[in-house]
Amino acid sequence: MYNFDGMMDRRRLNAIKATPQHTLQLDCIPLWIADMDFPAAKEIHNALMQRMNIPNYGYTLCTDSYYEAVTGWMQRRHAWDVKHDWVLTTPGVIPAMAFAVRSIVKPGEKVMIQPPVYPQFARMIQLNGAELVTNPLKLVNGRYEIDFEDFALKAQDPALKLCFLCNPHNPVGRVWSRDDLKRLADICLENDVIIFSDDIHHDFVYGPNPYIPIASLSEEVSQITITATAPSKTFSLASFKMGNIIIQNEALRKAYNVAINSVGCTSLDVGAIEATIAGYTYGEQWLQAVIQYLEQNNALIDSYIAAKMPMVKTVALEGTYLKWLDFRALGMNNSELESWSLTQAKVWLSEGYTFGVEGSGFKRLNMASSRSVIQEALERMERAIHALS
Ligand SMILES: Cc1ncc(COP(=O)(O)O)c(C=O)c1O
């Protein structure tokens, strides 16, 4: 019923993912930015076509049907009962990070992150006037874990007001367990630290670990949590700029709303509204099919690498469609590894060091592309690795 094997010419569409930014990337297979190559669900396409056919694109309200679609999805897919009035909209999740910093942290106060992690965390914290504190993840027997001792120590600093959590975690692919989330939330509760949980990848979870919104742990935890969600990753709609930010605590929500209003982000664009409603209302079957396809891509990558280039280590993927690959055994520094990838292997991946120094020697491969493209990228990497010896 769904076919994800075909490839659109996305360079023709000026897709950021497919458009080289310098000459070295010209003949490379682009598997970097977290953006799927698959065509959007036909239900979303149809809804957009219907609305866009009406030539009036003025300021548009998010009505009850919008909020029902958002809260219905959280209830159905993630067993979380979100009330309509807890939801604020933002033009994306990156701005939502900035609003969290602006509404909670005064100049000179601190925000904690867990690198290697999505680079915009550090950028949004620092560009919005806060001091960055890192609580690096630990790689234990091929699996990343939170360093709770370090987290608890740093949380005691009275200047630490906010912590950014990424669940599922980009780039390391962990889906944090109930126990992880509870330990982290307990430390935050003890030390009056607010949690900003970026859950944008929450619809991509594989295997037995379910995604658990940290705010759903308890009323107490919900009161100190801002949860950022969006249908953009789920349904490949990133250019529409959409975020649904869930905040139960009224005082926190009011302050957050001031931050949104202070930069005039008071409404969503009509495409974002239509696409959100259509995706959350009719997109479930399409999403299931995408997840199945991604599971097969994941299996292909793991088995290919294990069989043909075992010096590259894969980190087991629990969530997201982003594979975190360990190239440290090749013995190259970051710039040698980047250059090898672009000029020898001819694959354009996200460089591990961009996620923090903890990512040195790693690369992130976006596996949300057609199987033949993934296969070709693996073959290119294998050839380039063998050419090294
Ligand atoms: C963890 C995480 N948060 C946020 C974003 C981007 O959010 P948006 O495009 O809605 O600003 C990404 C994109 O890759 C991401 O991985």
Side-chain angles (χ1 to χ4, degrees):
M1 186 175 172
Y2 298 99
N3 179 6
F4 303 114
D5 283 329
M7 273 299 284
M8 283 187 196
D9 177 3
R10 297 192 70 203
R11 202 179 286 191
R12 189 173 59 85
L13 302 172
N14 298 328
I16 291 178
K17 180 173 186 260
T19 310
Q21 291 163 12
H22 64 75
T23 47
L24 289 185
Q25 292 157 343
L26 267 177
D27 305 320
C28 293
I29 299 178
L31 296 174
W32 64 293
I33 195 170
D35 190 17
M36 297 200 275
D37 284 333
F38 310 134
K42 70 176 183 324
E43 291 81 0
I44 297 178
H45 184 222
N46 290 344
L48 284 170
M49 294 309 285
Q50 258 187 26
R51 179 59 189 85
M52 293 307 155
N53 267 332
I54 304 168
N56 188 303
Y57 311 116
Y59 299 121
T60 304
L61 264 182
C62 287
T63 59
D64 284 350
S65 57
Y66 178 88
Y67 292 101
E68 277 157 20
V70 173
T71 57
W73 186 263
M74 294 313 292
Q75 180 66 64
R76 264 194 333 279
R77 300 269 321 176
H78 305 304
W80 186 23
D81 188 15
V82 172
K83 303 282 178 272
H84 170 148
D85 58 358
W86 300 355
V87 182
L88 298 174
T89 61
T90 59
V93 169
I94 299 172
M97 299 167 196
F99 299 142
V101 175
R102 287 173 179 224
S103 60
I104 293 164
V105 182
K106 296 193 198 70
E109 290 182 334
K110 300 177 183 173
V111 185
M112 187 139 70
I113 62 169
Q114 299 175 306
V117 73
Y118 184 53
Q120 294 289 358
F121 277 22
R123 288 192 76 223
M124 288 302 111
I125 290 164
Q126 291 173 316
L127 290 175
N128 286 283
E131 207 178 296
L132 187 70
V133 176
T134 60
N135 164 234
L137 298 175
K138 295 187 299 189
L139 185 54
V140 183
N141 300 326
R143 189 172 194 238
Y144 280 88
E145 290 178 3
I146 295 173
D147 183 343
F148 285 104
E149 267 176 37
D150 180 68
F151 189 95
L153 199 71
K154 290 173 177 165
Q156 283 169 16
D157 180 349
L160 190 91
K161 299 294 172 194
L162 181 62
C163 95
F164 276 25
L165 177 71
C166 196
N167 186 28
H169 189 101
N170 169 14
V172 309
R174 277 298 312 272
V175 178
W176 302 114
S177 69
R178 186 173 292 278
D179 186 48
D180 291 325
L181 297 172
K182 190 168 172 340
R183 285 178 75 181
L184 188 140
D186 283 346
I187 298 170
C188 291
L189 281 165
E190 252 168 57
N191 295 282
D192 292 327
V193 175
I194 302 291
I195 301 165
F196 175 87
S197 190
D198 178 344
D199 296 12
I200 195 169
H201 293 279
H202 63 5
D203 288 310
F204 300 99
V205 173
Y206 320 95
N209 264 10
Y211 152 72
I212 302 168
I214 191 165
S216 73
L217 289 182
S218 70
E219 168 72 25
E220 255 188 317
V221 179
S222 187
Q223 289 293 342
I224 60 157
T225 302
I226 297 172
T227 307
T229 71
S232 48
K233 294 277 176 250
T234 308
F235 296 111
S236 199
L237 303 168
S239 72
F240 283 120
K241 303 292 164 206
M242 46 176 66
N244 294 303
I245 315 306
I246 303 169
I247 311 174
Q248 180 177 359
N249 181 312
E250 200 180 336
L252 216 52
R253 193 167 64 242
K254 277 195 175 147
Y256 194 91
N257 211 11
V258 170
I260 296 178
N261 278 278
S262 72
V263 288
C265 294
T266 46
S267 61
L268 286 188
D269 78 65
V270 64
I273 296 171
E274 290 297 331
T276 299
I277 297 173
Y280 281 162
T281 311
Y282 307 111
E284 217 151 343
Q285 257 193 338
W286 178 91
L287 177 63
Q288 275 318 117
V290 168
I291 290 172
Q292 262 178 23
Y293 194 84
L294 290 172
E295 274 170 339
Q296 289 160 8
N297 279 2
N298 187 33
L300 167 68
I301 294 167
D302 282 346
S303 61
Y304 194 102
I305 289 180
K308 309 255 172 95
M309 37 180 159
M311 62 294 284
V312 179
K313 299 286 172 236
T314 55
V315 173
L317 191 71
E318 297 173 357
T320 80
Y321 49 74
L322 308 163
K323 290 289 283 182
W324 187 236
L325 305 176
D326 182 350
F327 287 86
R328 287 176 300 175
L330 298 191
M332 296 185 196
N333 65 31
N334 285 328
S335 70
E336 288 165 346
L337 195 57
E338 183 165 9
S339 154
W340 168 81
S341 179
L342 295 174
T343 62
Q344 308 303 306
K346 300 257 178 219
V347 287
W348 177 10
L349 308 181
S350 297
E351 296 302 321
Y353 66 83
T354 62
F355 298 85
V357 286
E358 299 78 3
S360 292
F362 288 75
K363 286 174 179 291
R364 192 192 73 178
L365 183 155
N366 171 357
M367 61 172 198
S369 193
S370 79
R371 184 108 0 106
S372 59
V373 170
I374 300 291
Q375 174 83 30
E376 167 75 21
L378 290 167
E379 286 169 11
R380 287 186 184 194
M381 283 195 280
E382 182 198 352
R383 279 198 297 271
I385 283 182
H386 288 147
L388 290 171
S389 47

